[in-house]
Amino acid sequence: MLVVGNWKMNLDLAAARQLSSAIAASIGPLDTVDVGMCPPFVALDAVFAVLHGTGIRLGAQNMHEEEGGAYTGEVSASMLRAVGCHYVILGHSERRQYAGETDQTVSKKARKAREHNLVPIVCVGESLPQREAGTHQAVVEKQVMESLSGVDCTHASELVVAYEPVWAIGTGETASPQQVADMHGHIRRLLEHLFGRAVGSGIPILYGGSVKPSNAQELFNQPNVDGGLIGGASLRAEDFLSIVNAARR
Ligand code: PGA
């Protein structure tokens, strides 16, 4: 199981140090669960210093697809590696919505991330109108196939996929266990098709969208749910730790 906190555009440097320290101090054994934390860029270095040696892994929330150069305001894969990142979230729906990211840019970013030995957490998920129209499976299938096109994955630990229905992100509304199980089963079949059964069957598929201490256990019990990508609840040490506990087996 894998639980990753996505802090989004929250917490200044002092607050980032405080939250990561509080979580690290109480995380307990990490033998049955992997944990990641994705602060904003400016806090990566400081949070890495806190996490170093704890077993909790650092991740970024985005990166640029080019190696380097004249891309004002952007951050490269090698820069993320240099500050200790293991993961990078790619194609989050907020970036698809507000920063114009497409499956094509996500695929370029994921390939570049792999070149630099970062583990991409590739996000997919349908909107409410798409769910209501019954096209959610087709929408997510297209996102998975195109976002992962050309991505090299020879071992299941090199890639993570997060299913995050847009209508459940930050809304307090969660997909039902059945909806989650159905979509995760579909994504599992796609991953096995793309990377072969041996690799595809082991790639972690996270659920994201209003995961909280009260619903984490039931969601994590669903077939093909290998953990969660946690937004709001990752900003409170107590809630995040309780979700990590729910993922322990
Ligand atoms: P949420 O966000 O847990 O606040 O719904 C999840 C995400 O966007 O990764």
Side-chain angles (χ1 to χ4, degrees), residues 12-235:
D12 63 15
L13 193 54
R17 281 201 182 99
Q18 205 172 17
L19 177 63
S20 54
S21 304
I23 291 170
S26 305
I27 194 78
L30 294 175
D31 45 352
T32 59
V33 65
D34 290 320
V35 176
M37 221 176 259
C38 302
F41 287 134
V42 293
L44 286 172
D45 193 33
V47 170
F48 183 70
V50 171
L51 298 184
H52 191 65
T54 64
I56 302 174
R57 288 173 165 142
L58 186 68
Q61 300 173 17
N62 176 39
M63 55 165 254
H64 196 265
E65 65 269 30
E66 295 297 335
E67 198 59 44
Y71 298 98
T72 302
E74 298 291 346
V75 170
S76 74
S78 60
M79 292 172 191
L80 296 182
R81 280 300 291 179
V83 292
C85 284
H86 178 85
Y87 297 111
V88 59
I89 298 172
L90 296 178
H92 190 282
S93 65
E94 286 148 17
R95 293 207 54 85
R96 291 176 187 263
Q97 187 179 350
Y98 305 129
E101 289 208 356
T102 63
D103 293 326
Q104 285 64 41
T105 53
V106 176
S107 143
K108 284 186 192 156
K109 289 179 181 206
R111 280 180 266 162
K112 183 57 73 179
R114 284 307 307 138
E115 270 177 43
H116 289 270
N117 239 346
L118 287 161
V119 175
I121 301 176
V122 174
C123 302
V124 296
E126 82 284 0
S127 66
L128 187 56
Q130 290 166 335
R131 167 66 64 173
E132 286 171 346
T135 57
H136 45 285
Q137 281 218 348
V139 166
V140 169
E141 176 164 334
K142 184 168 184 290
Q143 289 175 334
V144 169
M145 298 308 281
E146 295 186 359
S147 301
L148 297 180
S149 142
V151 176
D152 206 20
C153 178
T154 50
H155 194 276
S157 62
E158 295 170 349
L159 179 66
V160 176
V161 173
Y163 169 55
E164 301 204 304
V166 178
W167 46 274
I169 295 178
T171 57
E173 198 163 326
T174 319
S176 73
Q178 191 57 52
Q179 288 172 326
V180 172
D182 288 348
M183 190 62 87
H184 280 234
H186 188 55
I187 295 172
R188 176 68 67 211
R189 287 188 288 279
L190 296 173
L191 293 177
E192 290 180 352
H193 169 75
L194 278 171
F195 302 110
R197 192 140 197 283
V199 174
S201 63
I203 293 172
I205 307 175
L206 309 183
Y207 169 77
S210 301
V211 178
K212 39 192 183 246
S214 58
N215 61 20
Q217 187 77 69
E218 190 182 23
L219 291 162
F220 294 167
N221 280 343
Q222 300 312 307
N224 292 304
V225 176
D226 304 301
L229 183 55
I230 319 299
S234 72
L235 297 171

